[in-house]
Amino acid sequence: MLAFIGGTGLTRMDDLEIRHRHDIETRYGKPSAPVAEGELNGVPVLFLARHGDPHVWLPHQVNYRANMQALKDAGATAIVAVNAVGGITAPAGALVLPEQIIDYTWGRDSTLFDDPNDPLVHVDFSWPFDPVLRRRLRGALERAGLQWVDGGCYAATQGPRLETAAEILRLERDGCDIVGMTGMPEAVLARELGIPYAMLSLVVNPAAGKASREITMAEIEAVLHTGMSDVRTVLATLAAG
């Protein structure tokens, strides 16, 4: 079953007809919120609010392992994660379908294989996002008739503070195009669980040093409102096949 993870601006999917809420306890603890199972335009899907419902968990506080395990336990066979991000090379308002990721986070539980009683497993992570799922997302974006950016690199930073202008310059030199705080370890945990995973990112503001003036929260919220409406359209189109 196709699953969606909603980030900032997508705590709920208003067009999802919820049939059941899975209140799952995993070996890693409880997920951020119950996993909602329902129908999106008649198609069965799962939904999980990454930061809780209401939004309570900061990026470094999210129990990513419990979230991903709960989705698997609820029957997820593919996961599309939605992120609100800052734009390094991508403009505000853009939808981005990243192809690569660089992890700058620290101190997070980043693997399912840290039990000394279990065998050690190294997963190949050369291409972090599933190519088949990315192709399906490309098709949905094209059918929805939206402007979007295919490819690019997502920088996963620790948060919850935003980055300095110097840090953004460093990320740009490293080849990053967008910056967020939730892409890792989420992406690698999906790989460890064997679940195809792809990311759809909405650029809500220029990254630090990339604008000629200070960006207000009102401007960010306006982009979130419009952009997440487009994201909902894409997800519904994707679910419909």
Side-chain angles (χ1 to χ4, degrees):
M1 193 184 314
L2 182 61
F4 302 125
I5 299 176
T8 300
L10 194 65
T11 299
R12 300 176 184 175
M13 293 188 68
D14 297 334
D15 45 357
L16 175 64
E17 297 181 18
I18 298 174
R19 306 299 188 193
H20 180 67
R21 294 185 188 274
H22 298 270
D23 192 9
I24 298 172
E25 178 82 36
T26 77
R27 61 181 288 191
Y28 310 106
K30 278 189 168 292
S32 299
V35 177
E37 180 177 350
E39 293 185 355
L40 187 60
N41 296 334
V43 180
V45 299
L46 300 171
F47 178 79
L48 175 62
R50 182 188 289 116
H51 298 281
D53 182 10
H55 188 299
V56 293
W57 301 111
L58 297 172
H60 68 294
Q61 297 172 327
V62 172
N63 190 339
Y64 294 96
R65 296 196 298 180
N67 282 358
M68 303 308 282
Q69 186 66 58
L71 285 172
K72 183 177 180 66
D73 292 347
T77 56
I79 297 172
V80 173
V82 176
N83 314 79
V85 300
I88 300 175
T89 65
L95 288 171
V96 182
L97 191 57
E99 189 174 33
Q100 277 294 335
I101 195 165
I102 299 178
D103 187 8
Y104 299 93
T105 67
W106 50 270
R108 302 184 182 188
D109 292 324
S110 58
T111 181
L112 304 173
F113 302 121
D114 59 355
D115 188 329
N117 297 313
D118 292 337
L120 176 63
V121 178
H122 298 284
V123 294
D124 187 291
F125 203 52
S126 303
W127 302 97
F129 304 119
D130 183 77
V132 174
L133 191 53
R134 286 188 77 254
R135 282 198 296 272
R136 289 178 60 191
L137 269 169
R138 281 202 300 267
L141 284 156
E142 289 167 356
R143 291 194 300 277
L146 300 171
Q147 296 294 315
W148 55 287
V149 178
D150 189 7
C153 183
Y154 175 109
T157 58
Q158 178 69 3
R161 68 166 178 84
L162 298 174
E163 302 74 31
T164 68
E167 287 169 334
I168 292 300
L169 285 175
R170 174 202 174 194
L171 299 183
E172 187 170 17
R173 288 194 298 268
D174 286 350
C176 299
D177 301 284
I178 54 178
V179 56
M181 301 174 189
T182 57
M184 288 293 286
E186 196 173 271
V188 73
L189 295 173
R191 181 63 52 86
E192 290 185 344
L193 288 167
I195 305 175
Y197 174 99
M199 185 183 290
L200 180 61
S201 300
L202 170 66
V203 180
V204 297
N205 60 276
K210 292 296 179 179
S212 58
R213 57 178 178 81
E214 183 177 346
I215 305 298
T216 67
M217 282 305 302
E219 290 173 294
I220 292 174
E221 288 167 1
V223 175
L224 268 172
H225 178 74
T226 302
M228 285 303 171
S229 176
D230 290 341
V231 166
R232 290 184 179 92
T233 298
V234 174
L235 298 184
T237 304
L238 176 69

